[in-house]
Amino acid sequence: MKSYNVAILGATGAVGTRLIDQLAHSTVPVKSLKLLASSRSAGKTIDFKGEPITIEEATPEAFDGVDLVLASAGGGVSKRLLPEAVKRGAVCVDNTSAFRMDPTVPLVVPEVNADQLKNHHGIIANPNCSTIQMVVALKPVLDKFGLKQIVVSTYQAASGAGQSALNEFFQQAQDYLNGKEMQSTILPTGSDKEHYPLAFNLLPQIDVFEDDGYTHEEWKMIHETKKIMLNDMDAEGLKVTATCVRVPVPISHGESVYFEVADDKATTDDIKAAIAAGEGVVLQDDPDHQVYPQPLTAEGKRETFVGRIRPDRENSGAFHLWVVSDNLLKGAAWNTVEIAERLVADDLVRVPE
Amino acid sequence: MKSYNVAILGATGAVGTRLIDQLAHSTVPVKSLKLLASSRSAGKTIDFKGEPITIEEATPEAFDGVDLVLASAGGGVSKRLLPEAVKRGAVCVDNTSAFRMDPTVPLVVPEVNADQLKNHHGIIANPNCSTIQMVVALKPVLDKFGLKQIVVSTYQAASGAGQSALNEFFQQAQDYLNGKEMQSTILPTGSDKEHYPLAFNLLPQIDVFEDDGYTHEEWKMIHETKKIMLNDMDAEGLKVTATCVRVPVPISHGESVYFEVADDKATTDDIKAAIAAGEGVVLQDDPDHQVYPQPLTAEGKRETFVGRIRPDRENSGAFHLWVVSDNLLKGAAWNTVEIAERLVADDLVRVPE
C-alpha cells in the first residue's frame, strides 16, 4: 500500500494540534510526518501516535520530499509557502482563506463536492468553519428539493479566532467572575483596531468590515457557500446572506438558518428525512424530549448536528433549522484530514503536470 | 399635583428590584409604595429613595387603597391577584404573559402603541423582553416604509429566565473554569423536564415547546409583534418568524433581524435616518470605527441600541440590523414604569366603570 510523507504547517495552533490528532485517527497512510511552525516553536516536540516529533521551522526547503501538506498557519504563511511546496511536488490542503476564491482552486467539503478534488493543481482549499457546517446540513436539501434562499445568523465560538483569542476569552471570564476589569487585545479580531471583551458579551463582528457594511466573515459565508454548492462564487441561482456574531462559547459554532426550497411541496418530514440520511450529519431533533444540538455536546465530535427543523408558518416552501458543529474539527482539522483521506482514496496525492 | 399609592408585586426578583429603582427615577408621583412578595420574603426590607420599606405578603387585601400596581411575580400570581387588585380600584401594569393575548387587554410599548392605553379595563400587559426591543427598533421603519416580513434570531441573556437562573448560570461558569462538573436544575426553563448548562454553551430552547416545533418564546415574539404593531395577534399583513436561543450572557438580549419593507425604493441611508430619529432608540452604527451594540455596553441603560444596518445583497427592499437592549430594563422594568408614566401623564390611572 502506498504511504505518504506528510507535513503539517502551523502545528502548534488551535487547529494545528487537532490536525495532528485527526491525522493520527485517519485512514491516511503516513510514511513520515513533519511538523512545521514559526522559528519560535522550532525545537519543541509534539507526540504523533505516541512518538515525539521535533517541530521544524517552516521554510521552502522544509517541503523537500513531502507528498502532502496540511496547512493552518494563517493566510500570509500559506500564500508564501504553499506555492513553494507545490513546486517541490507536494499536494496542499489549506485551511486558510488564502486561495479559497481562486477559481482554479477547488474549495471542498467532501460530503458536498468531493468531485471537485480531481480538478486540483496542487492546492485544495478548506472552507471557512461557519460555511462548512451549514453546507453539510443543507446539501441533502439542495439535492432533493433545490434551494432558493438562505438567511443565516451565526453564534460563533471564541476558538474560531485562534488559540490566543481562546486564551484571552477564558482570562476575561475569570476576571469578570473575580470582579476584575476584563482586558482585550485580540477579540473581536487581531487585525482590527478596537478590541472588546467577549466573555459575558456578544460581538457582532468577525473579521474586518467590508465597504458595504458586511464583515469579511459574512462575505466568506456568502461566496464560499455559492462556490461549494453551485461551483460559482457569484452564482445567482441561490440567494445567501449572513450575519455573523461571536458568542462567549469556547468551541463549536451554532447557526440559526432560514431557508427556502424550490420544491414547495416539500414537507417538514421530507426535510427531516433528507437531512437524517445526509452524509456526516446527525439529526438531534426531538422537541418532546428537549433534544437539540448544543456546543458542549458537539465539542470533540466530527459530525454536524442538526435540530429544531420546522416549517416557516407564513411562507410556503420555507423552513428553519439549528446546526452546531465543532468549529475546530469539521470546521477545520477534520474537514482538512477528510479531504486528505479522499485524495488518498482517489489517488490524487500528486501535482498534475 | 395628583400622586398615587403604588404597589410592586414580585418585589424581590430580578425584574422586581429593577422596578423599584426605575420607579424611584421616574416621573410617577408616588404617595406611598407597597412592596409585595411571597410569604417567604415578607418582613424583609428594601430601600426606596433611601427609605426602608417592609415587604408584605401578596394577598388580595394587600391591594386595598392601591391606585397602581406594577406586577412581575410570574403568570400564575398575576392571573390570581391582578383581578383582585382591579376589583379594588387599582390599575395594573403586568410584566407577565398572563394577559398579553387577551384581546381586551392592551399590550403596550409606549414608543410604538401608547394610543392603546386609553382602552384599558384595569390591566395593561407589558410584552415579552425579546419582542419589545425589536418593535422599538422597527417601529420607525414600519411608519415610514411599511414592513412585509421579519425573520429574527435572538441571542437572549440568562437573566431573562429570572434571578435564580442567573445565579445558576454564574455558578456554572465558575465551576467550568475550576474544572468542576456544571450543575443544572433550572435552565433552559424551570417548567420543563431536562436541564442543561448554559455557561460556555448555547441552548436553542426558551420556554417550553409548542406542538408545531416552535418554542413558546418564539410563539410570543410572533404574536406579540403582530398585536403591538398591527393591533391583531394574527395579522396577516406582516409576516413574522423567530428562532430564540439562550446565550451565556448575564444581561441584555441581542437580535439579528432580517426585514423586508413595503416601499422598495427605501435606501439603507433612509432606514438608518428613520431609526436614528426613532423614539427610545440609539443608533450605534459605524463599522469604520467598529461601533455596534453590545450587551456589556447596553446593560443598565433604558434605550434600545441598533447597529449593523445594511441592505440585503440579493433581495431589493430587504435589510439587516442588530439590536441590543437591557432585557431587565427596556425589556421589563423600564417599559413597565414607562407605561406607568404615560398612564399618569394621560390621567388614565383609574379603572373604568
Side-chain angles (χ1 to χ4, degrees):
Chain A
M1 187 184 173
K2 217 171 180 175
S3 66
Y4 301 90
N5 297 312
V6 182
I8 290 177
L9 175 59
T12 59
V15 175
T17 53
R18 282 162 180 84
L19 277 172
I20 297 167
D21 184 59
Q22 292 296 311
L23 181 66
H25 296 91
S26 78
T27 61
V28 175
V30 179
K31 192 192 297 175
S32 72
L33 178 64
K34 272 191 182 186
L35 299 182
L36 305 176
S38 67
S39 57
R40 219 179 33 226
S41 300
K44 295 178 190 166
T45 64
I46 300 184
D47 279 11
F48 177 71
K49 296 188 177 180
E51 296 294 320
I53 298 187
T54 303
I55 297 171
E56 299 172 45
E57 186 180 350
T59 62
E61 295 70 29
F63 296 101
D64 285 337
V66 169
D67 304 307
L68 179 63
V69 178
L70 310 178
S72 195
V77 175
S78 281
K79 263 195 188 129
R80 187 162 52 82
L81 288 179
L82 296 193
E84 296 288 343
V86 173
K87 215 184 286 173
R88 289 167 171 80
V91 171
C92 305
V93 188
D94 181 26
N95 187 49
T96 79
S97 64
F99 300 99
R100 286 181 192 149
M101 288 301 131
D102 183 329
T104 69
V105 172
L107 180 68
V108 175
V109 178
E111 294 85 347
V112 181
N113 63 340
D115 58 303
Q116 290 297 320
L117 288 175
K118 65 179 183 303
N119 303 324
H120 84 76
H121 300 281
I123 297 176
I124 296 105
N126 192 74
N128 191 41
C129 45
S130 51
T131 308
I132 294 175
Q133 66 185 63
M134 186 171 80
V135 298
V136 168
L138 289 177
K139 167 67 172 172
V141 177
L142 174 73
D143 285 349
K144 291 223 161 167
F145 310 107
L147 272 172
K148 287 160 59 182
Q149 176 156 14
I150 299 171
V151 179
V152 58
S153 295
T154 71
Y155 301 64
Q156 293 182 236
S159 56
Q163 186 63 50
S164 54
L166 183 59
N167 296 345
E168 174 171 290
F169 163 62
F170 280 133
Q171 186 60 51
Q172 290 170 346
Q174 193 61 71
D175 286 346
Y176 181 98
L177 292 175
N178 292 342
K180 289 195 218 166
E181 204 182 335
M182 295 188 273
Q183 305 297 323
S184 313
T185 62
I186 301 168
L187 292 158
T189 177
S191 57
D192 214 338
K193 285 187 230 69
E194 300 292 332
H195 302 289
Y196 308 115
L198 175 64
F200 303 101
N201 200 18
L202 299 165
L203 296 176
Q205 176 188 1
I206 300 184
D207 212 327
V208 295
F209 281 97
E210 305 284 330
D211 290 341
D212 61 1
Y214 283 75
T215 59
H216 191 58
E217 183 84 357
E218 290 157 357
W219 187 96
K220 284 188 248 180
M221 282 199 84
I222 293 166
H223 293 287
E224 291 185 16
T225 298
K226 292 181 180 216
K227 179 164 175 176
I228 298 163
M229 286 189 142
L230 302 177
N231 206 22
D232 172 1
M233 65 171 275
D234 292 310
E236 289 180 1
L238 169 61
K239 294 176 181 177
V240 185
T241 188
T243 298
C244 294
V245 180
R246 189 78 73 192
V247 298
V249 166
I251 290 174
S252 299
H253 296 341
E255 295 175 356
S256 165
V257 184
Y258 166 88
F259 59 100
E260 296 177 7
V261 300
D263 176 0
D264 67 7
K265 282 191 284 300
T267 67
T268 304
D269 284 345
D270 292 339
I271 301 284
K272 282 187 191 179
I275 292 176
E279 208 185 332
V281 183
V282 175
L283 196 69
Q284 289 183 331
D285 195 352
D286 182 358
D288 286 348
H289 297 91
Q290 294 172 264
V291 174
Y292 35 69
Q294 300 174 34
L296 282 180
T297 54
E299 188 179 330
K301 311 252 167 59
R302 286 176 165 179
E303 292 86 359
T304 295
F305 300 90
V306 181
R308 300 289 333 267
I309 301 172
R310 60 203 195 281
D312 192 84
R313 299 156 51 107
E314 294 175 294
N315 293 294
S316 71
F319 300 86
H320 301 263
L321 62 75
W322 169 250
V323 54
V324 176
S325 190
D326 185 321
N327 58 301
L328 300 176
L329 295 187
K330 185 57 187 167
W334 165 235
N335 197 68
T336 298
V337 171
E338 197 184 5
I339 289 171
E341 287 190 347
R342 302 272 182 140
L343 289 170
V344 167
D346 298 346
D347 194 22
L348 290 167
V349 187
R350 48 195 160 71
V351 177
E353 295 306 302
Chain B
M1 187 184 172
K2 218 170 178 175
S3 68
Y4 301 89
N5 297 312
V6 182
I8 290 176
L9 176 59
T12 58
V15 175
T17 53
R18 281 161 180 86
L19 277 172
I20 297 168
D21 184 59
Q22 292 296 311
L23 182 66
H25 296 92
S26 78
T27 61
V28 175
V30 179
K31 193 194 293 175
S32 72
L33 178 64
K34 272 191 182 186
L35 299 181
L36 305 176
S38 68
S39 58
R40 220 181 32 228
S41 299
K44 295 178 190 167
T45 63
I46 300 185
D47 279 9
F48 176 72
K49 296 189 177 179
E51 297 293 320
I53 298 186
T54 303
I55 297 170
E56 299 172 45
E57 186 181 350
T59 62
E61 296 71 31
F63 296 102
D64 285 337
V66 170
D67 304 307
L68 179 64
V69 178
L70 310 179
S72 194
V77 176
S78 281
K79 262 193 189 132
R80 186 163 52 83
L81 287 179
L82 295 193
E84 296 288 344
V86 173
K87 214 185 287 175
R88 287 166 173 80
V91 171
C92 304
V93 187
D94 182 26
N95 187 47
T96 79
S97 63
F99 300 99
R100 286 181 192 150
M101 287 301 132
D102 183 330
T104 69
V105 171
L107 181 68
V108 175
V109 178
E111 293 85 348
V112 181
N113 63 340
D115 58 302
Q116 290 297 320
L117 288 175
K118 66 179 185 304
N119 303 323
H120 83 76
H121 300 282
I123 297 176
I124 296 103
N126 192 75
N128 191 41
C129 45
S130 51
T131 308
I132 294 176
Q133 67 185 62
M134 186 171 79
V135 298
V136 168
L138 289 177
K139 167 67 172 171
V141 177
L142 175 73
D143 285 349
K144 290 223 165 167
F145 310 107
L147 272 172
K148 287 160 58 183
Q149 175 155 12
I150 299 170
V151 179
V152 57
S153 294
T154 71
Y155 302 64
Q156 294 182 234
S159 56
Q163 186 63 50
S164 54
L166 183 59
N167 297 345
E168 174 171 291
F169 163 61
F170 280 134
Q171 186 61 51
Q172 289 170 347
Q174 192 62 73
D175 286 347
Y176 181 99
L177 291 175
N178 292 342
K180 289 194 217 165
E181 203 182 335
M182 294 189 273
Q183 305 296 322
S184 313
T185 61
I186 301 168
L187 291 158
T189 176
S191 57
D192 214 337
K193 285 188 230 67
E194 299 293 331
H195 302 290
Y196 308 114
L198 175 64
F200 303 103
N201 199 18
L202 299 165
L203 296 175
Q205 177 189 1
I206 300 184
D207 211 328
V208 294
F209 281 97
E210 305 284 331
D211 290 341
D212 61 1
Y214 283 75
T215 60
H216 192 57
E217 183 83 357
E218 290 157 357
W219 188 95
K220 284 188 248 180
M221 284 199 83
I222 294 165
H223 293 287
E224 291 185 16
T225 298
K226 292 181 180 216
K227 180 166 174 175
I228 297 163
M229 287 190 143
L230 301 176
N231 206 25
D232 172 1
M233 65 171 273
D234 292 309
E236 289 180 2
L238 170 60
K239 295 176 181 176
V240 185
T241 190
T243 299
C244 294
V245 180
R246 189 79 73 193
V247 297
V249 166
I251 290 175
S252 299
H253 296 341
E255 295 175 356
S256 165
V257 185
Y258 165 89
F259 59 99
E260 296 177 6
V261 300
D263 177 359
D264 68 6
K265 283 189 283 300
T267 67
T268 305
D269 285 345
D270 293 339
I271 301 285
K272 282 189 191 178
I275 292 176
E279 208 186 331
V281 183
V282 175
L283 197 69
Q284 288 183 331
D285 195 352
D286 182 359
D288 286 348
H289 297 92
Q290 293 171 265
V291 174
Y292 36 68
Q294 300 173 34
L296 282 180
T297 54
E299 188 179 330
K301 310 254 166 60
R302 286 175 165 179
E303 292 85 0
T304 295
F305 300 91
V306 182
R308 301 287 334 266
I309 301 171
R310 60 204 196 278
D312 192 83
R313 298 156 50 106
E314 294 174 294
N315 293 294
S316 70
F319 300 87
H320 302 263
L321 62 75
W322 168 250
V323 53
V324 176
S325 190
D326 185 321
N327 59 302
L328 299 176
L329 295 186
K330 186 55 187 169
W334 165 235
N335 197 68
T336 299
V337 170
E338 196 184 6
I339 289 172
E341 287 191 348
R342 300 272 182 138
L343 289 170
V344 167
D346 298 347
D347 195 23
L348 291 167
V349 187
R350 50 196 158 70
V351 178
E353 296 304 307

